[in-house]
Each structure stands twice: as C-alpha cells, then as structure tokens.
C-alpha cells in the first residue's frame, strides 16, 4: 500500500507509542523506588540502565525516522519552528520541575534538550543520503575515542569537557550527576541511523510505514501522535497519585 503525500504513518506512530508505554512503566518503577515503596538501584543496576538505553534509543530512532518523513513531505520551516519551539519550551519546563524535586541533580540536558538540538542538526543533514550511515557510526564511536584521548594525551582538557558548559556534547570521562542525561554524542548517531532507515523505507518499502493498524495498533498509533503531551504529563500524574496514596495510607 502506497502512503498518500502528507498522510500519517501508522506504523511509525505505533512504534513511538511503544517507546512511550515502556518509558511510562520505567518511570512508574522509578517513582515507586523514589518514594520507598519498591527499592531498586536505577542508577547502577543493569536491569534498569540497559532498559533506559533501549528506551532512549527507540525514541531517537523514531525522531530520525520522523525527520526523514518530514523531509520527504516537504515540511516547511514555519511548521518546523513551531514544533521546535514547543519542544524547547517543554525542555525548560522539565528543567524547572526537576530542579524543584531534585535540586542537586536536576535535568539540564535530558531527552527533550537533546531532541531540540538533534532536530536542528537532522533538519540540515537530511540530504546526506547514504552518508547518514557513516555519520551515525562515527557519532556512536566518538565518545569512546574522546574518552581515550581525554584520559591520555589530552588529559589537560578533561576537566573542560566534563564541566556543565561542554558536557552536553558527550565527550566526557565522568558522567555528570543528573536525573537524565542525553548528550549530543553518541545519541546523534541514533538519530542519523533513524533518518537513514526512514529514507530507505520511504524509497524501497513505503508500505511498511503505512500499514493498516487495526485494533490495539490504532490505539497505539493515536498515542504516538501525541507523544509530547504524554511525555510532559505522565510523571506529574503518577507522582501526584503516589503522593496521594501515601497521604491516604498515613494521614
């Protein structure tokens, strides 16, 4: 089935929704642990750190695929900037909310901050074609190369790149103490690979993106179309519900 120009891609929306649901379950576990109902080590246990990596990877693959679709449909700069401003404002709200809850480890460059920057880069590199695969591989490898250099011949620069002014790049030797950290590298590599996958599908298998999503798939696709509101609201709702439960349990 060939998709119509400007049509929604149900399979992509559903894939984004899978990442949303997975993220929500992850955050619910984190909230339970934070309030002492289910003690888990979300910072060090591979059970949780690997899940976080998988969730962020899936989100950013969808971001890249979405940018490939936008480029193919000729989405103009006016619409692009409207959407970009919404993401940037939401990123600032996340910083403010996390500062209120975690003043010593608030989120200053998390998922939305990273997406805001990566969207801009993706917009300007959408025409790279097959070079996106190589760019993605280099971006994914760059933090490990930088870590080796900063721990060796460029050790005098390590403190500079580890500081808040530059650690958003991702070329660090020590991960910063923050509740969410999604630096430019290596994650831009995931976005570039998502764009490459999206462009390949649009050129060779466009019907895969436009699959008829029946039943639960349609519900998933609907959620995926409203990912930003869900992202912004799910944590306040869950935290409020857990706090209300605590007050009811111990008035």
């Amino acid at each position: 089935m060939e998709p119509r120009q400007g049509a929604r891609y149900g399979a992509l929306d559903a894939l984004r929704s899978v990442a949303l649901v997975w993220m929500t379950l992850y955050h619910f576990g984190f909230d339970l642990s934070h309030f002492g109902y289910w003690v888990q080590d979300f910072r060090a246990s591979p059970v949780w750190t690997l899940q976080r990596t998988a969730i962020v990877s899936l989100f950013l693959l969808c971001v890249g695929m979405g940018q490939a679709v936008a480029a193919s449909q000729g989405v103009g700069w006016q619409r692009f900037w409207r959407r970009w401003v919404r993401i940037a404002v939401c990123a600032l709200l996340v910083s403010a909310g996390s500062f209120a809850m975690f003043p010593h480890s608030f989120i200053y460059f998390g998922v939305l901050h990273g997406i805001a920057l990566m969207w801009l880069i993706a917009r300007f590199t959408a025409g790279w074609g097959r070079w996106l695969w190589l760019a993605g591989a280099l971006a994914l490898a760059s933090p490990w190369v930088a870590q080796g250099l900063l721990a060796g011949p460029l050790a005098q620069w390590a403190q500079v790149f580890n500081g808040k002014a530059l650690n958003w790049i991702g070329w660090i030797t020590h991960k910063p103490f923050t509740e969410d950290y999604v630096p430019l590298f290596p994650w831009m590599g995931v976005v570039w690979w998502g764009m490459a996958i999206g462009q390949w599908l649009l050129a060779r298998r466009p019907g895969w993106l436009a699959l008829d999503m029946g039943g639960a798939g349609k519900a998933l696709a609907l959620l995926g179309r409203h990912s930003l509101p869900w992202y912004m609201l799910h944590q306040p709702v869950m935290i409020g519900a857990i706090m209300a439960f605590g007050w009811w349990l111990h008035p």
Side-chain angles (χ1 to χ4, degrees):
M1 180 178 62
E2 293 292 331
R4 301 186 309 276
Q5 185 70 16
R8 296 293 310 193
Y9 289 81
L12 179 55
D13 287 331
L15 186 63
R16 188 183 300 112
S17 183
V18 170
L20 284 172
V21 172
W22 192 358
M23 172 201 68
T24 302
L25 294 173
Y26 177 94
H27 282 164
F28 184 62
F30 177 88
D31 295 340
L32 290 176
S33 178
H34 175 72
F35 287 102
Y37 294 106
W38 187 43
V39 179
Q40 296 287 316
D41 187 358
F42 277 81
R43 294 188 181 277
S45 173
V47 172
W48 300 110
T49 58
L50 292 176
Q51 282 194 68
R52 179 191 178 275
T53 300
I55 293 167
V56 175
S57 297
L58 186 54
F59 259 123
L60 294 183
L61 276 174
C62 291
V63 168
M65 292 171 69
Q67 285 303 296
V69 169
S72 73
Q73 294 182 345
V75 172
W77 280 103
Q78 185 176 7
R79 183 181 175 189
F80 173 86
W81 284 120
R82 283 201 307 268
R83 298 176 67 186
W84 184 88
V85 166
R86 287 200 295 267
I87 292 174
V89 170
C90 287
L92 294 176
L93 291 174
V94 167
S95 292
S98 64
F99 183 80
M101 193 167 181
F102 306 102
H104 300 295
S105 59
F106 73 98
I107 301 169
Y108 60 89
F109 206 86
V111 171
L112 291 184
H113 305 75
I115 288 176
L117 176 59
M118 294 175 207
W119 256 41
L120 287 173
I121 297 173
R123 179 78 179 190
F124 286 108
T125 58
W128 284 8
R130 294 180 180 178
W131 291 103
L132 290 169
W133 293 107
L134 177 59
L138 293 175
L140 289 168
S142 68
W144 284 270
V145 174
Q147 188 175 41
L149 293 173
L150 293 173
L154 299 180
Q156 69 273 19
W157 289 95
Q159 187 174 357
V160 176
F161 280 94
N162 285 331
K164 282 187 178 181
L166 290 180
N167 66 17
W168 56 269
I169 298 174
W171 295 340
I172 58 174
T173 58
H174 298 289
K175 186 177 178 181
F177 182 59
T178 176
E179 296 302 320
D180 191 25
Y181 177 61
V182 184
L184 180 62
F185 300 113
W187 294 110
M188 188 66 217
V190 180
V191 174
W192 273 330
W193 277 4
M195 290 178 66
I197 292 170
Q199 291 179 0
W200 185 90
L201 288 171
L202 288 167
R204 293 172 174 81
R205 299 289 189 275
W208 289 7
L209 291 172
L211 289 173
D212 183 16
M213 307 297 293
K218 288 186 177 180
L220 281 174
L222 180 61
L223 175 60
R225 294 171 192 170
H226 304 284
S227 55
L228 187 58
W230 182 277
Y231 185 91
M232 292 301 296
L233 293 174
H234 80 283
Q235 272 292 61
V237 169
M238 289 193 302
I239 290 172
I242 293 173
M243 292 179 68
F245 173 77
W247 289 331
W248 173 80
L249 198 64
H250 302 289

